[in-house]
Amino acid sequence: MTSTKDGLPHTTMAVPETLNDAVVRIAGNSQDGIQSVGAMLARLAGRSEMDVMTYMTIPATISGGPSIFQVHMGSGRVLSAGDAADILVAFYQHSYDDHLESLRDGGVLLYDSTNVEPDLDALRARRITPLPVPMTSLTIEILGGTGKKKGKNIFLLGVLAQAFRLNMEKIRRLLGEVFGHKDESVLRNALLALEGGYAYSIGDVASFFTFEEPEHTEGEVAVTQLTMTGNQAIAYGAVAAGIRFGAAYPITPWTEVMEQLRADLPRYGGSFIQTEDELAGIAAALGAAYGGVPSMTGSSGPGLALKSEAISFAVMAEIPLLIVDVQRGGPSTGLPTNVEQSDLNLALHAGHGDAPRVVMAAADVEDCFHLVIEAVCIAHEYSVPVIFLSDQAIATRIEAFPFPDLSCLPQLPGAKPVSVESYKPYPLDRITKHLPPGSRIADGKYPNVTGLEHDEFGHPSANPRMHMAMTAKRRAKMEALAATLPTPEVHGPDSGDLLLVGWGSTMGVIREAVNRAAAKGLRYSAIHLRHLNPLPPGLEALFRRFERVLVVEMNDRDANGCGQLARVLRAQYVLPHIGGITKTDGLSFRIGELLARIEEATGNHAAPAGPNLSSAHANP
C-alpha cells in the first residue's frame, strides 16, 4: 500500500506496460461540464491517431442533474463505447454510489475526495485502486476562489492527461479553440486549472495508462482523422452532398444539426431558417426543393409525426427532399435525452394513402457523413423524399474517422431556368424530373404541381386507370432502387447457428458480441441494415442459411417477441425463425448485456451475464 498527498491509501497495481484500449467513465452532474471534458478527451484521442467512441447520458430538465460521459479510446479498432470502465471518475457521493458497479474489478477509482468517501474495504475486495484527488478544493485554491466550483472539469482533464501521458500542447490548443472566443480570463483560468491537474501527483498509477503506438508500415503517411458527433457529421455530409437550403424547428436531439447548418450553409451560398413550427419547416423545404435548390428538413419523432401530411405531398408531387429524424424515446414527448429506435414504423408509414418513401439508417458517426450524401443522391435520382434515421446515441457520441475523399462529390441539378421544346413532369415511362420554375417550354404546355392525383402533365385527374398507373409508377421507383442496393456483408461465418441483425447505433455492440462469442467457440454472425425501405436484395436467402435470426433493436416487442424491424422482416419474408431482442430502458445495449440476452433466447453460453437494467425481452 502507498498513500497520496491527503493520506488516503491506494494500492500499487501490477499492470501491463501498454494498453490497446481503455474505458473512462466520468460521473457527476451536468452542470459540472461532464460533457465538455469528456468531449475534449475524446477529440484529443482522435487527433492523436487513436480510435474513439463515446456515450453520454444527460438529464431532460433545464436545471440539470446526474450525468455521465464515457470515453472508449485505444490504438486499435474501437467498435463500441465499452462495457465495464477501466477508470471511474466520481465527482460526488451519488456518482460513486450509482456507478461503482460499472467499474471493472482491478480498475481505478479516481474520486473527488472533497465530496466522496468510498468504502475502502469494498474496493480492496474487488482489487480496485482508489485514487483520491481533492478536485473541488484544489480548483478553488488554484483559481483564487473566483472560479468557485467551475473549472474542476478542466482540472480533471489535467489529471487524466497525466495518467494517459497525453500531449499537453495539443490540449492547450484544444482549450484555445473551445474558450478562445470568450473573455481572456476564461481561457486563462482554464489553462491554470489544466496545469494544476497535470501537476498533481498520482504516483505509480500513471504507469498503467500507456497506450500502444499506432502501427505504420514503412513510408506510410499517418491518416488525418476527423473527430465529431453524429449530428455534426449529418450536417457536414449534407453540405458536402450539395444541400443549400434547410428549414426546421428545434427539438432535442436534432437541434445541433440545424445549428451547425445555420452556421455553415451561408459559407457555401446557402441558408437554413428556423420556422415557426414543424409543418412550416417541411413546407418551406419542399418549396425550395421544387424551385431546384437541394433542400432538407429534420426533427425528432414528435416533429416527424407532424410532418407526415407533407411527406405524403412530397410522394405525390415527386419532389426530392432529405428528411432527417434523430430518434429519441417516445411516445409523445417521451424521453428527450435518451436513446430509442422506435420511429421506424413512423418513418416507413407516416402519411395517408400509398405513399412509398426511401428510409435509411446510419450505423455510426462516419456513416452519418457518407450515408447522408447517398440519401441526397437517391432523393434526386428518383425524385422521392428520403427519411434518414439517426438516434440519440449516434447523435451525441464522438467518434474519429479518416478524412473522407471529397474529390467525387455529387453534382446536383441547379435552380437555373432552362429552355425546352416540350415537357411532361409525370411521364409514366420514366422517373419524374422537375424543371426549375421560370423555365421556357416552347409548346406552351406548362406543368402543374399538385397534391391531387394527376395526369402526366400534373393536371388533376380522378380517372381510375390513371390513378392505378401513377400508383404503380411511384411504387416502381422503390423496386428500381432496391435492385441497385448491395446485400449486406456478413460479419462472421456465412452460415451457422445464429444471425444477429442490427440497424442504427447497435452495429458496434453486435459485432463485439459476435467476436466474443467466437472466442467461446460459438458460430454467431451479424449483418447490419442501412437501407430499410426498400430492403436490399438477397436477404431471404441469407436468412435461410441460419438456424435462428434475431433482430437486435431498441424498441418494444410484440406477442412474438419481435421489435419493429423484426416485424417488418417476418412480414416480408414469412420466415418464422426470425425473432427479436428488444429493450426499452432508454440506454444503449452493452456487450455483456446483449450476450446474456442471446443466451436467454438460444440457450448458448457466450459470456457471464452482467447486470441487466433493461425492461427488455427476447422471444422464446
Side-chain angles (χ1 to χ4, degrees), residues 447-484:
N448 185 47
V449 176
T450 175
L452 292 168
E453 187 58 281
H454 45 257
D455 62 17
E456 292 179 285
F457 287 96
H459 301 139
S461 172
N463 182 290
R465 291 185 179 180
M466 183 59 68
H467 180 54
M468 290 175 61
M470 284 294 175
T471 299
K473 165 185 162 66
R474 294 186 286 266
R475 174 189 6 103
K477 292 192 291 186
M478 298 294 107
E479 296 168 348
L481 172 59
T484 70

Side-chain angles (χ1 to χ4, degrees), residues 94 103 170 312 337 373 559:
H94 68 76
L103 181 61
K170 287 185 178 180
S312 291
T337 59
I373 296 175

Side-chain angles (χ1 to χ4, degrees), residues 213-257:
E213 290 293 328
E215 294 184 3
H216 296 297
T217 58
E218 187 175 351
E220 180 185 6
V221 179
V223 176
T224 302
Q225 291 198 130
L226 297 174
T227 308
M228 65 182 68
T229 66
N231 276 346
Q232 290 173 314
I234 289 173
Y236 295 141
V239 173
I243 293 291
R244 292 299 177 263
F245 179 80
Y249 187 77
I251 182 174
T252 301
W254 143 264
T255 305
E256 185 185 18
V257 180

